[in-house]
Structures are given as structure tokens and as C-alpha cells.
Amino acid sequence: MSSAHETETDVWTTEDAKSLYMIDRWGRGYFDVSPDGNLTVAPLQERGSKIAIRDVVDAAIEQGLRTPLLIRFQDLLHHRVRALNEAFNRAIAESKFRGTYRGVFPIKVNQLREVVEEILDAGKTYHYGVEVGSKPEVFAGLSVHTDPESLIVCNGYKDDNFIRTALIGRKLGKKVILIAEKLSEVRMITRVAKEMNVEPMIGLRVRLLTEGAGKWKTSGGENAKFGLSTAEILAAIRIMDEAGMSSSFKLLHFHIGSQVPDILIIKRAVREATRYYAKLRKMGQRIEYIDVGGGLAIDYDGSRSTFHSSMNYSVEEYARDIVHNIADICDEERVPHPNIVSESGRAIVAHHSVLVVQAFGSIEKTPMSPIDIQTEEHKLIQNLLYIKDNISGPNLGESWHDLLQIKEEAQKMFELGLLNLDVKARVEILFWEIAENMQKIASSLEPEEVPDDLGELRKQLADQYICNFSVFQSLLDHWALGALFPIVPIHRLNERPAADSTLVDITCDSDGKVSKFIDLNDVKDTLPLHPISGDQPYYVGIFLTGAYQDIMGDIHNLFGRVNEVHVFLDEDEESGYYIEETIAGNKIHEVLALTQYDNRDLVGKVKAQVDGAIKQDLLKPTEGMRLLADYERGLKDQTYLSLTSAP
Ligand SMILES: *Cc1c(COP(=O)(O)O)cnc(C)c1O
């Protein structure tokens, strides 16, 4: 809220924009602002070039794509994979740990083939593998995985087909580890493995008492949906023994939930799981891997705290703490160091994609220009004018209460039929005009001088910027869980933003909005934005959406997948990058087909209606055929608004 306290005469610089939108904090060296006010991305941080996101949008538009546009910076994936693997390798070297690190990417966090392939490519030298959690994912995982040294970890509930597919991987010489989520799966795995005459690699998911924290904490703890109790682990070992597969137990797994903001919880879970590992080793189980699951968080709000949208640790600290605590307990229990597996998804992919949406209009509460005041005025208007002429810092609280009372009185009179529309209109206009004046006065005061109940005023005065996208398709966790994402205009950052705003999408759903924004303390209700000017498009970027968001979207209101471009750095290009691939978003007929409207059927039915109208002389035949052609052509349009002409 720092901008509000500055006076208008201060010069606005891009440094002000950086601190207002906290770009250095959540941007982590990937995102910055150029001197001409563009938001830039450096996919390799300081080691590669910086790209203005606005330039990519313009290039995509030139290639025929429109916003909403999802931009993937593929080099950023490389950078994240290297950072994670190197953090573990450094930690292992530092603490003279005798196992190795064998990370896997959980593809449910972003299954897009190009994303998974890029990650595997980046992870080749580290033997970085994949984690799958469903039948479709195991089919995908098996096909993209090529390195026999790297793992395929199979989580999730399984049936015969799932297990059989995973064991095809074993037949091909791959290290596919089937993690049993419950006891009956151990029986299924041994049975199918026997039928296929192959030795399975089995992992057991242990149900720890340590619970996660934040929004996904129910993945761990005694009431978790997954995992085996201590007694069940012992029973699982007996089942493997009886099947003659006692050496198949290779991995001990746990997962306490995603986005764990507090490192203390991670340490406690690691220590608890390692205790299981050590005791099992002492019983003669030759387990080779401890798998610490996911949970490595992202600092969405940049606060470096234990708030749900943040984290109080770094990737380096995460790796060091895991390695150190596993070593500590193994040494104490005198058992060999295991290899370490982690299933970090969010931390690998969140940064790499940016969603750019166009704000194309705003719903403002305050009038564009002051209204003429007539001499003969209604009592309510006179009272409002009195308040307007007499507000000052010291009586701000009192004036606000008077203002609210008049508004309520006006509403009552209207309901009783005692107020004409022209008076009602004037009451509304004056109300917002006075509220805005009050807000201006309030923002010039020190925060402690502002009456408490005026806090709501700022929220009420906020304009709503209408953005051409769907929260349900592109920002599902914000709607469902209140997850926060950094949102920043991608240009004009050398101009002072004027309006406190919220964002609304184009779905017909009042939940289709963003009215919670990142802040260093808690959350903010509004986002400062620039006035939308005449014929220039105004673009807002939604950041850190690469994990879960861009893959989980649903087609509420039949808004489909958005256009997408994949950007690669290239020093030979003048711009420093090129667009390798564009993926067109869903067309109208495609989303309709998903809900059983066949394209030919749609056209056929409308044609029958056009024919009928021609017969009844409502239409001339040529006009009818032209309308039918329009309908048919329109089906190939994108689902979002085409905002080509100036508003
Ligand atoms: C979802 C999931 C992950 C990924 O978690 P992140 O917090 O995104 O790293 C890892 N392992 C399992 C078993 C999961 O279900």
C-alpha cells in the first residue's frame, strides 16, 4: 500500500514499480523491470538474456495468436532442474553423504509433453526421472522416459492395467518403482509380477504422524487418504516374503502435502521417515531409497514467511536439511545411507509460465465528470453536499458514518416508492464522489490517524478491471483454495498506477474474479493498475502459474484452453530468443464437442431452422445462406473475446 502515501508530485520510477509489485521478492532473479517500463524475464537469471514479455506478446499477435496467452519460458525449466539437482549434490558432498540424489518430476503438476520432455532433457546428467500418479500418467511416463539409470516412481491407487503397464517398464530394464498406497496393492503387484514373470521394485508409502501445514496439509497425518500404518508395513513385508519377492522392497516413501511453508515440518517428517527406514534396515530389509515426496514450496508473495503462499527456507536449505537429517539418523542407528528421491513439482515448474490477459474495460463507481447541482435540491442531496463541503482529516470517521446513513436512508425511501430515479442517481453519484474524496484525504494521513472502519472504503472504491480470461480455466487454485499469485501489468511500469482495482473475468459467474493479492503481510484486497487509455491494449501478467494452474483448468462457461507459445533463448537471434512452438487454444466447436455437441449436427440443425425461416418468408434464400455460413465460420473462432478493434 506504499503508493497511497506518496504525493502526486513525487517522480515515479521503475524502481517504485518494482517495490510496489514486490518483483524482486517473488521474482527471484528471473523477473525484472526494464528502464522503459517493461516487465522482463531472464530465464537463466544473470547468465542469459532478458526478454520483455510485451515483445513476446506482440510477436505472438503477429503470428495470429491473441490473448489470453500462456507463455512458457522453456529455459527456465532447465534452470530450475539444475538448481534443484545441484542443491542436493552440493549438500551430499558437504555432509559426506554416501547415497546419491535421484529426483523425479511428478507429472501431475504439469503433464504437457513439451514441459515433461524439457525437464527430462535438463535432468539428463543428473539421471532425473518422472513420477506418475494415475493410469494415463503411467502410459505417458513410460513413453517419455529413456534413461535406465533414472527412476519412474508410480504413486496413486492402482489396478491391474496400471501395474501391468509399469511392469512393462521393468521388462525394458527401467527402474520402475511401484509404491503401494494400501496393503491390497502389495498383493496385486506381486500377483501381476508373477504372471508377467518379472521382478518388481516395490515402495511403501508410510503414513507419518507429522502433518504438513498450509492448504494441502491433509495429505499427511493419521487421517491421510494414502499410506500404510506401521502394522500394515510389517504385513506388506510378509506378503512380499510369501510371494518369494522379499528383495523387491526398494523404497520407503512419504508425502506430507504440497507447498509446505515451514522447514521445521519438513525436517520433522524426514526424521520420522528415516527412523522407519533405519528400523526396517535393521530387520534385514535392503531398502535402497528414501523418497521424501513433494512439498518444496514457492514464495508466491515474496514474504519469506510461513504464510500459506510463502516459505521460510530456500531450495539449498531444503536440500541440506533433508540430507543432513537422513545422515544424522542413519549414523545414529548405524545403517547405510540410502539414495534420496524427491518429487518436487511446484518448485520445478511454477516460474516457467506466465499468463498474459488483456484488461479491456473497467467498471467504475465514481462518475466520469462532476454533475451539475441544481438549486432546488432534495433534502438528501443537500445533506450530501453539506458533507462534501465539510470533510477534513479530523472528522473523517464521523463524515463516513453520516454518508453511510444517507445512503441507507435513500435506499429505504426508494423501496417505499418515495424517491425518483433522477434523485437516486444523484445520491449515488455524490456518494461515490464523496467517498473518493475521503479516500484521498485518508491516504494523506498517517496510517494510525485513519479510522478503522474506513479500511473497507478503499476496497469498496476499487474499480473492477474486466479481463479477457477465465479464472476457472487459468487460475483454478485461486478460486478453489484462495491461493495467491503475483499479478503485475507487463508494461507501463514507468508510469504511476492510478486506480486501486480488482480483476473480473468474462465468465458469467460472480466467483470469476481476483480480489485477493499478494502482500508482505497477509493479503491485499486491491491491485494498483493504470488507466486503460483509448486505443492501446493494456496487458496484465499473472505469474508463477506453471504448477497445476495451466493444466488443471476446467471449461466453465465453455471457455477452453488458451493460446500458448513456447519461448527459447537463442543468442543468434537479434531479440535473444525465438518462439519455437505455438499451440492454438480451443476453438468453439472443440469445447462444444466435449459436451456432446457434434459440429455437423450443430450446423445441420441451424440449417434446418434457416430453411424453415426461408419457407416462411422471414429470410431471403441468399441472406439465409450467408447467415448459415457466418454461423459455421464462427464455430472456428476462439472461445475468448476477440478484442481486435479499439474499444
Ligand atoms: C502432488 C504430489 C507431488 C508434488 O508435490 P509438489 O508440492 O508440487 O512438489 C509429489 N508427490 C506426490 C505423491 C504427490 O501427490
Side-chain angles (χ1 to χ4, degrees), residues 228-294:
L228 305 181
S229 66
T230 312
E232 286 172 322
I233 288 175
L234 298 179
I237 291 170
R238 276 197 301 277
I239 294 169
M240 287 185 266
D241 281 349
E242 281 159 19
M245 296 180 178
S246 47
S247 60
S248 287
F249 184 12
K250 298 284 190 207
L251 178 147
L252 192 72
H253 177 261
F254 73 89
H255 172 67
I256 53 169
S258 200
Q259 183 69 19
V260 178
D262 189 353
I263 189 73
L264 287 181
I265 289 170
I266 290 166
K267 285 197 223 187
R268 199 180 310 147
V270 166
R271 293 184 75 84
E272 188 184 347
T274 309
R275 212 47 95 172
Y276 275 95
Y277 163 80
K279 301 295 181 199
L280 288 163
R281 284 281 331 197
K282 283 179 158 173
M283 287 169 56
Q285 297 298 319
R286 300 178 69 84
I287 303 167
E288 292 172 25
Y289 302 90
I290 289 187
D291 182 343
V292 300

Side-chain angles (χ1 to χ4, degrees), residues 106 108-109 131 155 181 205 226 253 255 257-259 293-296 343-347 547-548:
K108 76 152 189 266
V109 186
E131 185 265 1
N155 285 305
E181 307 279 7
R205 178 161 178 171
F226 298 107
H253 177 261
H255 172 67
S258 200
Q259 183 69 19
L296 174 53
E343 304 170 345
S344 302
R346 189 184 292 277
Y548 303 101

